[in-house]
Amino acid sequence: MLGGVIWCTGNICCVPIINKIGLGLGLLLWAQTSLIVGWVTGVTGIFGLFTPDPVPLPALNYIGFGIACVSTIVFAFVKSNTEVVVPEENQFLVNQPDEQKKKGTSDRIVGILLAVFAGVCFGSNFDPPLYMIKSHKPEWPQNGMDYVFSHFTGILLCSIFYFLLYCIYNRNKPHVFPQSVLPGFLSGIMWAIAQTSWFVANDTLGLVVSYPLISAGPGIVANLWGILLFKEITGKRNYLIFLSASLLSAVAIACITISKEYEPPKNTTFVQ
């Protein structure tokens, strides 16, 4: 449950992050921080709390990790060319022009700090169950899937707690957007499938491999939505940047996968 609380705490920061520095920079910062924290956790074993993940080719894994970081940064240079027109009834969901003009350096600093904090939460939310698994105590389950229910329970209870705080802060007048309820449930189901798969990836690949691989994907998917569906990303420059970042991600994935799956040649003896 503690891991779910950590994840939920990072997740509630996403809305103020987007309001203060935008989705592009916000996603870049929390994804990059999550990638670094998760990878470092796997390399150091939470700084000695458990045995680090074994990697046959550590140098190649380091190279792949570095390339994955660079690819995430390159994705941030893809610019949107479409101005979003928000219906009048949905205006409360976004910042008004007057509010946007009032934003200054302090808002940007707060947004950046929140994004980094969220990334730390996303990168460390697997640490509690991972510590229990790596401790190899007979009373603690050794399969990551055994911790999924308690993890999600922690997220649910923590979400309810934060929502109650929000209601108190707004004097029992929370802003609820009815049309977003069903899409919210559907996106939650999609996320739950992905998070469960992440538990499996951590079990089979280790954090040293799973975090760089999984963190490199959102930039590709998000930009493909913008190009193919929303048509908000256009122009030769944007396409070249997207292609370059995607190729970097592919190289990073290849390096990280090879570093984990490589089997050193067995010693052979020659009979004279």
Side-chain angles (χ1 to χ4, degrees), residues 53-129:
D53 297 328
V55 178
L57 292 177
L60 189 61
N61 185 268
Y62 297 155
I63 293 173
F65 166 74
I67 296 175
C69 291
V70 173
S71 70
T72 306
I73 296 174
V74 173
F75 275 121
F77 290 94
V78 178
K79 302 297 182 182
S80 174
N81 297 324
T82 302
E83 295 183 359
V84 179
V85 179
V86 181
E88 184 177 354
E89 65 272 15
N90 300 345
Q91 286 295 323
F92 72 91
L93 293 173
V94 298
N95 290 321
Q96 301 300 321
D98 292 339
E99 295 175 352
Q100 293 176 355
K101 292 178 181 178
K102 294 178 182 178
K103 289 184 178 180
T105 305
S106 60
D107 288 286
R108 185 174 179 84
I109 293 175
V110 171
I112 290 174
L113 292 177
L114 283 175
V116 173
F117 173 74
V120 172
C121 292
F122 295 150
S124 59
N125 76 100
F126 291 108
D127 289 357

Side-chain angles (χ1 to χ4, degrees), residues 22-36:
L23 177 60
L25 180 58
L27 177 61
L28 167 66
L29 288 175
W30 77 57
Q32 189 79 356
T33 307
S34 172
L35 167 61
I36 294 172

Side-chain angles (χ1 to χ4, degrees), residues 139-209:
E139 65 270 22
W140 290 345
Q142 300 301 303
N143 191 331
M145 290 294 292
D146 294 331
Y147 296 90
V148 171
F149 180 79
S150 62
H151 192 85
F152 286 10
T153 302
I155 293 173
L156 176 62
L157 295 178
C158 191
S159 298
I160 294 173
F161 172 73
Y162 285 133
F163 181 71
L164 291 176
L165 290 182
Y166 168 69
C167 293
I168 294 173
Y169 176 79
N170 271 10
R171 299 181 180 180
N172 200 27
K173 295 181 180 179
H175 293 294
V176 179
F177 187 46
Q179 289 87 339
S180 68
V181 173
L182 182 57
F185 271 98
L186 293 177
S187 65
I189 292 173
M190 294 171 61
W191 169 86
I193 295 172
Q195 189 78 349
T196 303
S197 301
W198 203 331
F199 271 95
V200 177
N202 289 341
D203 266 357
T204 56
L205 301 176
L207 299 183
V208 175
V209 176

Side-chain angles (χ1 to χ4, degrees), residues 194-256:
Q195 189 78 349
T196 303
S197 301
W198 203 331
F199 271 95
V200 177
N202 289 341
D203 266 357
T204 56
L205 301 176
L207 299 183
V208 175
V209 176
S210 65
Y211 260 97
L213 292 182
I214 295 171
S215 298
I220 297 176
V221 176
N223 283 282
L224 280 175
W225 278 110
I227 293 173
L228 301 177
L229 182 62
F230 299 115
K231 309 296 182 182
E232 62 183 13
I233 297 176
T234 58
K236 183 178 179 180
R237 175 183 176 277
N238 282 327
Y239 293 155
L240 288 176
I241 294 175
F242 170 73
L243 180 61
S244 300
S246 299
L247 290 176
L248 285 173
S249 296
V251 173
I253 291 172
C255 291
I256 293 169

